[in-house]
Amino acid sequence: MNEFELIHRFFSRPPADGTVRLGVGDDAAVVMPTPGHELLLAIDTMAEGRHFFADVPPATLGHKILAVNLSDMAAMGAVPRWALLSGTLPNSDPDWLAAFSEGLFALAKRYDVSLVGGDTVRGPCSFTLTIVGEAPAGEALTRAGAQPDDDLWVSGTLGDAALALAAIQNRITLNPATLAVLRTHLETPEPRVALGLKLRRLAHAALDISDGLMGDLGHILNASDVGAEIELPLLPCHPSLTALLNGAERPLALHCLLSGGDDYELCFTAPPAARDALIALSNELALPLTRIGAITATPGFTVFDEQHHPLPALPAAYDHFPNGTPP
Ligand code: ADP
Ligand code: MG
């Protein structure tokens, strides 16, 4: 199978809708944006050894490279539309590629996203996906705009993916049924696209939590020039994480909850007047939305523990280049 057979067989599918005038097969794709809308563009890379293990099930990898990009669209309140995929592959194993592309296209289909092009080269396994989405002009949600006295909210549960990773790496033992559940959050996260679209009318600021609540919330606070106070007991998490929080593994549990990566939940701020609408929205989407604290005028943030004492040192967020990694 040569490069072009590979592209044709695994990455060429009919587009999701009539917005694609030209997809895979020419030098560039041609798409038709909706009049009156702005385009939103994001890109994410996943590299073997850094973001996934060599033995990861390929279908989950195909899902995840798209899911993390859809999550960026969700955070901005955008409708995801078109994607470009750059794959660096060590070989052209047809079974592996078939499973990868199944995982990718199954998720793409659910969100009406068209894969309109890409690039395929040989090398150490890594995938980069570019997503393009749309939002009505001027309406995209951003990290700026949080206001003092806004409520601070998160969707879903926090720390599931980090806890699964800790178990896979034998840093902690979980019962197999629990690990199986948490593992799906790590390997096949569900992007909160429907939530993001509804938040356009309700939230002041939003982002998706890819690198842990503390680090990512810091981005909202910086962009909005505000601070925050968070109540640890309010943070939504899996019961097994709550149990660890109350035992000898508390440091690991705190790390998962506050700075664990790969959750892909949305964190957003909204005025207290939006509470009822957000509770209704949570029911409508069958997705937990939890108020975890509030925005303050004073910069910086504090996490209060169960006794309402400020937590001393906050675990740091993941950083690919901590303190300027030397060359
Ligand atoms: P070019 O030489 O013009 O860069 P390529 O030969 O790399 O184009 O790719 C041929 C066609 O296949 C292009 O339309 C490109 O967008 C598409 N393509 C290549 N790799 C992928 C991929 N992994 N997924 C989707 N489309 C791809
Ligand atoms: Mg060309």
Side-chain angles (χ1 to χ4, degrees):
M1 188 170 40
N2 72 24
E3 179 187 326
F4 299 101
E5 287 163 352
L6 186 158
I7 295 165
H8 179 73
R9 184 159 156 200
F10 298 111
F11 297 111
S12 181
R13 298 258 183 118
D17 54 35
T19 62
V20 180
R21 197 149 74 70
L22 207 48
V24 171
D26 217 307
D27 288 306
V30 182
V31 300
M32 294 174 281
T34 308
H37 284 54
E38 290 170 337
L39 296 180
L40 292 94
L41 302 94
I43 187 166
D44 257 309
T45 293
M46 289 175 46
E48 183 180 308
R50 183 59 60 183
H51 303 94
F52 59 91
F53 309 117
D55 62 353
V56 70
T60 68
L61 196 57
H63 173 102
K64 191 161 174 180
I65 187 63
L66 180 57
V68 300
N69 279 280
L70 294 181
S71 178
D72 285 324
M73 294 292 108
M76 302 291 291
V79 179
R81 291 237 185 263
W82 309 290
L84 297 160
L85 175 71
S86 176
T88 306
L89 303 165
N91 56 53
S92 60
D93 176 355
D95 292 338
W96 196 96
L97 282 164
F100 176 91
S101 92
E102 270 314 310
L104 177 80
F105 282 111
L107 184 62
K109 188 159 189 250
R110 281 173 44 215
Y111 287 97
D112 289 331
V113 167
S114 302
L115 183 67
V116 296
D119 198 19
T120 305
V121 299
R122 186 194 284 263
C125 195
S126 141
F127 292 92
T128 299
L129 192 138
T130 300
I131 188 88
V132 182
E134 295 184 311
E139 287 187 23
L141 271 172
T142 70
R143 297 173 177 193
Q147 293 170 23
D149 299 325
D150 271 1
D151 294 326
L152 188 57
W153 296 78
V154 292
S155 66
T157 50
L158 300 177
D160 293 10
L163 188 57
L165 184 64
I168 291 166
Q169 295 177 332
N170 294 316
R171 285 183 278 126
I172 188 121
T173 311
L174 294 175
N175 78 55
T178 301
L179 177 56
V181 171
L182 295 179
R183 201 177 180 127
T184 62
H185 293 244
L186 176 68
E187 293 183 337
T188 50
E190 188 59 43
R192 304 304 186 192
V193 174
L195 173 62
L197 294 177
K198 298 282 187 171
L199 289 182
R200 270 196 323 230
R201 286 183 307 108
L202 296 169
H204 282 153
L207 52 54
D208 69 321
I209 307 175
S210 52
D211 297 326
L213 175 66
M214 293 298 91
D216 285 325
L217 174 60
H219 299 314
I220 287 188
L221 303 184
N222 287 337
S224 303
D225 202 16
V226 292
E229 291 184 347
I230 293 173
E231 307 289 335
L232 181 68
L234 295 182
L235 296 183
C237 64
H238 190 274
S240 62
L241 197 50
T242 311
L244 293 174
L245 209 48
N246 297 322
E249 297 290 352
R250 183 173 171 89
L252 179 117
L254 280 176
H255 172 83
C256 291
L257 202 49
L258 296 172
S259 35
D262 267 357
D263 280 324
Y264 303 102
E265 295 297 346
L266 298 188
C267 173
F268 56 96
T269 85
R275 278 179 200 176
D276 289 346
L278 285 164
I279 291 164
L281 180 59
S282 170
N283 290 327
E284 180 191 328
L285 299 175
L287 173 67
L289 298 178
T290 309
R291 198 150 51 83
I292 61 166
I295 296 295
T296 59
T298 326
F301 60 89
T302 313
V303 181
F304 292 102
D305 69 11
E306 295 83 345
Q307 284 73 43
H308 208 75
H309 297 140
L311 278 190
L314 296 175
Y318 189 81
D319 182 346
H320 283 277
F321 297 97
N323 300 321
T325 309

